[in-house]
Amino acid sequence: MLTAKEIRESFKDFFRSKGHQIVPSAPMVIKDDPTLMFTNAGMNQFKDIILGNAAAKYQRVADSQKCLRVSGKHNDLEEVGMDTYHHTMFEMLGNWSFGDYFKKEAIDWAWEYLVDVLGLDPANLYATVFEGSASEGLSRDDEAASYWEKHLPADHIINGNKHDNFWEMGDTGPCGPCSEIHIDLRSEEEKKAVPGRELVNHDHPQVIEIWNLVFMQYNRKADGSLESLPAKVIDTGMGFERLCMALQGKKSNYDTDVFTPLINKIGELSGKRYGDDPKVDIAMRVIADHVRTIAFSIADSQLPGNAKAGYVIRRILRRAVRYAYTFLGQKQAFMYRLLDTLIESMGEAYPELPKQRELIMRVIKEEEDAFLRTLDNGIRLLDGAIASAKAQGKSEISGKEAFVLYDTYGFPLDLTELILKEHDMTLDHKEFDDEMAAQKARARNAAAVETGDWVVVRDGEQEFVGYDSTSAPTQILRYRKVKQKNNEYYQIILSVTPFYAEMGGQVGDRGKLVDGDDVVEIYDTKRENGVGVHLSKKLPRNPQATFDAVIDEEARRAISCNHTATHLLHEALREVLGSHVEQRGSFVSPDVLRFDFSHFQKVTPEELRKVEHIANERVRKAIARDEHRNVPIEEAREMGAMALFGEKYGDEVRVIRYGSSVELCGGTHVDNTGNIGMIKIVSESSIAAGIRRIEAITGSRVESVIEDMQDTLREIGAMFNNTPNLLVALRKSLDENAELKHQAEEYFNERVNNLTNDLLAKAYETSGIKVVELTGVRLPDVVKNVAFGVRAKSPEHTVFIGATHDPSGKPLLTVMVTEDLVKDGMNASTTVREAAKLIQGGGGGQPGFAQAGGKNKDGLSAAYEKMRALLGV
């Protein structure tokens, strides 16, 4: 039986024998494509070629690509783990032809590999072909069907509809019919009872698609019409995990050696056994799947976060933690301990995993610990909501409360439902769904983009001259109108451009297009599918004209200073902190630079100062830029340039050297380091486990900061009569202030104690409950401390009710209920929440203590009576 490693290599060997160049997997996290966060198909790294924006270096290519999908045709995150064959992270085996072979070879070679090389039984294979679409004016793909007829009987060739058998890159762009290969893995008895052809594309777990052959031959325009592509493309994708299942005779992807080492390790760590309990099995599958996604994402420099790609990774990680918490009894960090098993299985094929083992483990463990704390907090909040509902005689909590737990605190809905079930309570699902729908609608509206068709002015490819020039004569190749959030602008592609398009953390250039008195401002430059796209609020009067493209030179100089400074700081950090320091992200603008790097503890002020000194010493040396373009990647490595994991490099790269600093970089840089003037680090912080961030400024910005500091010191000195020894004066003032503060606290505590005693002496009793009341003008801190003082001095059968306002007139309601009365059903939180309506306010707290503020002081008397009535005193 072939192992997963052997299957992966056999695919590469087969297509190498067919003249294909075997290329490495692109990073799973995409950094420079605004349309995608993650590589979700093997074709992503070839988009520029498919769209005609870049020439194909090789006409035949094959690879094994790591991919991530959390939504799509058959897949949603919440489904992963429930069945046997869907995943978040998966590997896609693929082969491509860019204007070379087409349908015949793609079909023949797919058959040869599956049947002749791997030995799959032809009787178990089915192929689908596009049935055509009358509305599109497209006929059945008889060409593909004719090639399949050489290999398969007619009843194994199935017509597929547009949904299943017409592939599209997006709403616009390259598209075409496709032919899926399905395999029937059921027993012979099951096959005799129901033919496999009747189960193809019907989500049967044992009759599954394993390979999709896409025949790109059309371009979809914005109006929905199709036009033929000048160069046809073959794009195939085969699910590696499913292929392993078929070859290893398993009924589930999770039973193959892709996953069994992880599942076995999960069982060992949790004391559970796979196969004993369906819920435990689901949890194990979820964790085995998700830990791969999380580890590979971190290795590709995407840390869990609160926005965009980082949020997706955090959501996946938290889903796994929740399953471990609920079904495996893991109340402490757990998943990070699976990393070594994952590395043993996949580290050979993907060396980024062992290379970054320590970072991946630290990040996962910190995220697990943080979310476990969130779960504890969420359970406490949910317990409060349950107690409040029960006190009001309800057996259901509102969907809004559950949504706040889910959305604000990250508390999973299914865990909310599980806890409610244990209390014989339910959830208002409709209200929750309404809240979720409203949030999704807001997100859709915020992200909605309408793009028109490209208006082609002339043919040609873009040439970037921005490394050598700040202006250039140019012409418009094409443009289109874009609408986003009621904002209209134009995307313009130029034939020759000095504008640097945003990439690698460096912001895009701004500037203008000039044709005589017609001046069009370019407010940003983005990179889309490998091409610089210039953004403008308007079009030139004559798009056919020849223009002067001129960048904002002052902004470019500032950007270049900051970008070169990141290189010098990177090298200095490695010298001071150690060679483990690697870049983990950067941001370079005219005003500031941010540099993220791997390091496992806070950088001390002394270390930061040393880094600054080293970098500025190299600034003063005015080291000239040594630039090498179109250098073979291996030659660049020999020069000492570091290749960073998570970055996609071509066969040829650009190397920037300043003395001993050598980096692969496509950004803009100063002619010599002396142009920077000075580097000043302004902050250092942690942004994730094992990842630190420094922010710095350069040049004239440093002058401005120093001047601000001097002005501040001058003003402080004037406050102390320009004393010659300002530090001594400051220390004396602080000491005096601390003594006065101590005296004030003593006086405050004495006043609170006296007031507490007076109120207790005036308390009245009703039904065996002591009622202490406080009204009038009071500071909020006084009210709170008196309430706690009452509870300390009268810990049983006591209620404190406060209806006060501060000197500004802002009303405050306060209720304290001793623990014995809470157990009897009294609830301070629900009481103040209800009474607060009478002062036009709101608030809450715990069953034993709660406060609410408001706007209407005149309602205090009515609110006081309402609190008494609710408490029954």
Side-chain angles (χ1 to χ4, degrees):
M1 182 178 72
L2 290 174
T3 66
K5 293 178 182 179
E6 290 168 339
I7 294 167
R8 188 188 294 114
E9 290 309 308
S10 78
F11 179 85
K12 295 177 184 178
D13 290 342
F14 176 80
F15 280 99
R16 187 182 289 111
S17 74
K18 301 297 183 185
H20 289 63
Q21 175 69 26
I22 308 302
V23 297
S25 170
M28 192 166 71
V29 180
I30 297 177
K31 295 185 174 65
D32 295 315
D33 184 343
T35 66
L36 284 173
M37 289 191 291
F38 302 103
T39 296
N40 61 5
M43 53 74 58
N44 290 155
Q45 67 168 305
F46 306 114
K47 275 179 68 176
D48 294 351
I49 298 171
I50 295 168
L51 290 167
N53 296 326
K57 183 169 183 180
Y58 309 105
Q59 286 190 293
R60 299 181 180 187
V61 171
D63 72 353
S64 176
Q65 172 67 51
K66 51 188 178 180
C67 300
L68 172 59
R69 285 184 190 170
V70 291
S71 63
K73 179 179 171 185
H74 293 301
N75 193 25
D76 186 83
L77 177 59
E78 298 307 322
E79 295 175 12
V80 174
M82 301 299 174
D83 60 28
T84 61
Y85 56 94
H86 283 118
H87 306 288
T88 51
M89 184 227 162
F90 62 97
E91 291 180 75
M92 185 172 281
L93 307 175
N95 58 287
W96 287 266
S97 166
F98 307 115
D100 187 5
Y101 63 84
F102 204 47
K103 295 180 183 180
K104 181 181 186 302
E105 292 85 351
I107 290 171
D108 286 347
W109 290 340
W111 183 265
E112 181 182 349
Y113 178 64
L114 292 176
V115 175
D116 297 342
V117 175
L118 296 181
L120 290 176
D121 186 347
N124 293 331
L125 298 177
Y126 295 83
T128 63
V129 296
F130 180 47
E131 67 184 5
S133 171
S135 63
E136 298 271 13
L138 297 173
S139 59
R140 179 177 183 263
D141 192 355
D142 290 331
E143 181 186 0
S146 69
Y147 299 137
W148 279 119
E149 287 167 3
K150 296 189 303 180
H151 306 296
L152 288 167
D155 65 344
H156 279 233
I157 303 171
I158 304 167
N159 285 347
N161 58 28
K162 184 180 174 184
H163 178 267
D164 290 324
N165 280 87
F166 194 87
W167 186 92
E168 306 204 43
M169 184 181 289
D171 293 333
T172 61
C175 55
C178 62
S179 184
E180 299 174 339
I181 303 172
H182 295 252
I183 188 166
D184 187 349
L185 300 174
R186 297 174 301 152
S187 67
E188 291 304 318
E189 292 76 16
E190 291 172 303
K191 292 173 188 175
K192 288 177 183 177
V194 180
R197 63 174 290 110
E198 295 180 14
L199 300 176
V200 167
N201 273 334
H202 283 77
D203 290 330
H204 192 288
Q206 303 303 314
V207 183
I208 57 173
E209 173 197 341
I210 56 172
W211 206 345
N212 191 11
L213 315 179
V214 177
F215 314 126
M216 290 189 213
Q217 58 192 93
Y218 303 110
N219 178 53
R220 174 79 69 185
K221 301 178 72 174
D223 63 4
S225 62
L226 297 171
E227 60 184 8
S228 295
L229 286 175
K232 296 176 181 178
V233 173
I234 286 292
D235 165 14
T236 87
M238 177 155 53
F240 173 68
E241 292 80 6
R242 294 184 180 190
L243 181 62
C244 290
M245 176 174 70
L247 291 171
Q248 294 179 2
K250 305 298 183 182
K251 300 297 183 183
S252 162
N253 291 357
Y254 294 94
D255 292 337
T256 69
D257 66 342
V258 176
F259 289 100
T260 50
L262 284 170
I263 288 175
N264 291 339
K265 186 65 176 180
I266 293 167
E268 175 190 324
L269 294 174
S270 67
K272 307 284 186 181
R273 191 171 68 175
Y274 190 69
D276 286 353
D277 181 337
K279 290 183 178 180
V280 169
D281 293 351
I282 290 172
M284 288 185 167
R285 291 197 293 267
V286 166
I287 295 163
D289 172 274
H290 290 6
V291 74
R292 300 188 338 144
T293 299
I294 298 155
F296 274 98
S297 297
I298 296 168
D300 281 349
S301 299
Q302 181 54 65
L303 302 173
N306 291 325
K308 298 183 179 178
Y311 176 73
V312 175
I313 301 306
R314 176 165 284 166
R315 183 181 171 209
I316 291 170
L317 186 148
R318 288 183 167 188
R319 182 173 187 254
V321 172
R322 204 279 294 166
Y323 271 91
Y325 182 94
T326 304
F327 299 106
L328 302 184
Q330 299 304 302
K331 310 303 182 189
Q332 308 213 338
F334 169 79
M335 268 197 306
Y336 77 99
R337 299 166 69 189
L338 302 174
L339 186 60
D340 286 337
T341 303
L342 178 63
I343 288 173
E344 190 175 331
S345 295
M346 302 188 72
E348 185 179 333
Y350 298 100
E352 58 267 38
L353 288 178
K355 169 75 174 177
Q356 303 191 79
R357 174 185 177 275
E358 186 175 3
L359 172 67
I360 297 168
M361 289 187 76
R362 282 176 180 260
V363 172
I364 293 177
K365 185 177 187 301
E366 183 173 284
E367 283 287 320
E368 286 190 271
D369 287 337
F371 187 52
L372 287 166
R373 289 193 295 271
T374 293
L375 286 177
D376 286 339
N377 291 336
I379 288 170
R380 281 197 294 272
L381 290 168
L382 183 56
D383 285 344
I386 290 170
S388 175
K390 285 184 174 179
Q392 298 174 55
K394 297 178 181 179
S395 61
E396 179 182 75
I397 71 164
S398 76
K400 286 185 178 180
E401 285 182 296
F403 185 76
V404 168
L405 278 170
Y406 169 83
D407 190 52
T408 305
Y409 298 98
F411 197 75
L413 177 64
D414 51 359
L415 187 54
T416 296
E417 292 177 310
L418 188 67
I419 293 171
L420 289 175
K421 187 177 181 181
E422 291 170 355
H423 287 81
D424 295 320
M425 297 187 73
T426 58
L427 164 72
D428 185 339
H429 273 281
K430 183 180 184 306
E431 194 173 61
F432 181 91
D433 292 341
D434 289 345
E435 292 290 317
M436 179 67 80
Q439 186 202 58
K440 287 182 176 179
R442 290 191 295 270
R444 278 196 302 271
N445 292 336
V449 179
E450 295 179 28
T451 56
D453 277 329
W454 286 106
V455 177
V456 178
V457 179
R458 55 180 55 82
D459 293 329
E461 292 186 4
Q462 186 178 87
E463 178 188 2
F464 174 65
V465 297
Y467 292 142
D468 306 306
S469 305
T470 56
S471 64
T474 190
Q475 295 177 317
I476 294 177
L477 295 178
R478 55 190 182 273
Y479 64 86
R480 68 180 176 183
K481 181 186 283 189
V482 179
K483 292 183 181 179
Q484 184 174 21
K485 291 167 60 174
N486 300 318
N487 178 34
E488 286 191 359
Y489 60 93
Y490 291 89
Q491 295 180 333
I492 302 171
I493 295 179
L494 302 175
S495 59
V496 179
T497 181
F499 288 79
Y500 182 85
E502 181 178 332
M503 185 175 69
Q506 178 174 327
V507 300
D509 280 330
R510 55 182 187 253
K512 56 192 176 182
L513 292 180
V514 182
D515 175 24
D517 64 349
D518 186 16
V519 179
V520 173
E521 180 190 355
I522 302 298
Y523 65 85
D524 200 357
T525 311
K526 301 290 187 181
R527 187 173 304 275
E528 189 168 324
N529 299 317
V531 177
V533 180
H534 309 77
L535 308 186
S536 175
K537 292 294 184 181
K538 67 174 186 176
L539 286 174
R541 289 196 295 263
N542 178 16
Q544 301 280 351
T546 297
F547 304 90
D548 287 326
V550 184
I551 68 170
D552 182 331
E553 290 190 52
E554 184 178 345
R556 166 68 79 83
R557 277 194 295 271
I559 291 169
S560 298
C561 286
N562 283 338
H563 202 152
T564 302
T566 65
H567 287 210
L568 300 183
L569 288 168
H570 187 191
E571 182 182 35
L573 284 163
R574 288 174 63 85
E575 290 180 22
V576 173
L577 303 179
S579 59
H580 64 279
V581 168
E582 287 187 359
Q583 179 179 334
R584 288 292 164 187
S586 67
F587 173 77
V588 180
S589 74
D591 301 319
V592 69
L593 70 89
R594 290 201 306 263
F595 188 78
D596 302 338
F597 57 97
S598 52
H599 187 56
F600 302 114
Q601 61 193 43
K602 181 175 175 58
V603 186
T604 67
E606 294 76 20
E607 289 169 332
L608 283 176
R609 183 164 289 180
K610 191 171 182 180
V611 167
E612 213 173 60
H613 285 172
I614 292 172
N616 279 311
E617 180 184 2
R618 284 158 196 175
V619 169
R620 291 190 293 273
K621 285 182 177 179
I623 304 168
R625 181 181 71 231
D626 181 16
E627 179 181 354
H628 301 264
R629 301 179 192 171
N630 303 317
V631 178
I633 184 70
E634 289 306 321
E635 184 179 326
R637 288 194 178 100
E638 290 172 7
M639 293 170 67
M642 283 197 306
L644 303 177
F645 284 114
E647 296 289 343
K648 176 64 179 175
Y649 299 105
D651 295 323
E652 294 183 338
V653 294
R654 178 170 175 254
V655 179
I656 298 294
R657 187 205 301 265
Y658 291 98
S660 54
S661 168
V662 187
E663 302 222 10
L664 302 178
C665 185
T668 62
H669 291 274
V670 296
D671 293 333
N672 74 73
T673 58
N675 298 142
I676 296 172
M678 184 177 181
I679 301 170
K680 181 66 183 173
I681 297 173
V682 294
S683 70
E684 188 273 347
S685 61
S686 170
I687 61 168
I691 306 293
R692 309 297 299 183
R693 168 175 289 172
I694 56 172
E695 293 195 11
I697 52 177
T698 62
S700 61
R701 289 295 306 280
V702 179
E703 290 180 8
S704 298
V705 166
I706 291 174
E707 288 169 358
D708 289 344
M709 292 170 62
Q710 289 174 328
D711 291 344
T712 300
L713 283 171
R714 192 178 298 113
E715 290 177 16
I716 295 173
M719 293 177 188
F720 290 88
N721 299 318
N722 295 314
T723 175
N725 197 329
L726 185 58
L727 279 177
V728 170
L730 278 169
R731 287 196 185 99
K732 181 180 178 182
S733 178
L734 289 171
D735 290 343
E736 290 173 350
N737 182 66
E739 177 59 28
L740 289 171
K741 185 178 179 182
H742 177 68
Q743 293 175 13
E745 285 176 351
E746 287 184 340
Y747 171 74
F748 177 83
N749 291 334
E750 182 180 348
R751 181 185 172 200
V752 166
N753 186 56
N754 291 338
L755 181 57
T756 301
N757 291 333
D758 289 345
L759 293 175
L760 283 167
K762 296 175 183 177
Y764 65 88
E765 284 199 16
T766 176
S767 302
I769 297 173
K770 184 183 293 184
V771 180
V772 182
E773 57 184 0
L774 179 63
T775 58
V777 182
R778 306 289 181 181
L779 292 174
D781 281 351
V782 171
V783 179
K784 184 177 180 179
N785 280 276
V786 167
F788 288 155
V790 167
R791 183 165 64 187
K793 295 186 176 188
S794 181
E796 293 182 339
H797 312 301
T798 304
V799 169
F800 172 90
I801 304 174
T804 61
H805 63 86
D806 67 14
S808 70
K810 185 176 180 180
L812 177 70
L813 303 180
T814 306
V815 173
M816 183 282 298
V817 179
T818 54
E819 190 63 32
D820 59 315
L821 297 180
V822 170
K823 291 178 181 178
D824 289 341
M826 280 194 182
N827 191 299
S829 181
T830 56
T831 300
V832 297
R833 192 180 298 127
E834 187 66 27
K837 296 174 183 177
L838 298 171
I839 58 169
Q840 297 177 15
Q846 301 299 317
F849 178 81
Q851 289 185 307
K855 301 174 184 176
N856 179 23
K857 181 181 73 171
D858 295 336
L860 275 171
S861 178
Y864 175 75
E865 294 303 325
K866 183 70 172 179
M867 290 189 290
R868 286 187 59 197
L870 290 170
L871 293 168
V873 295

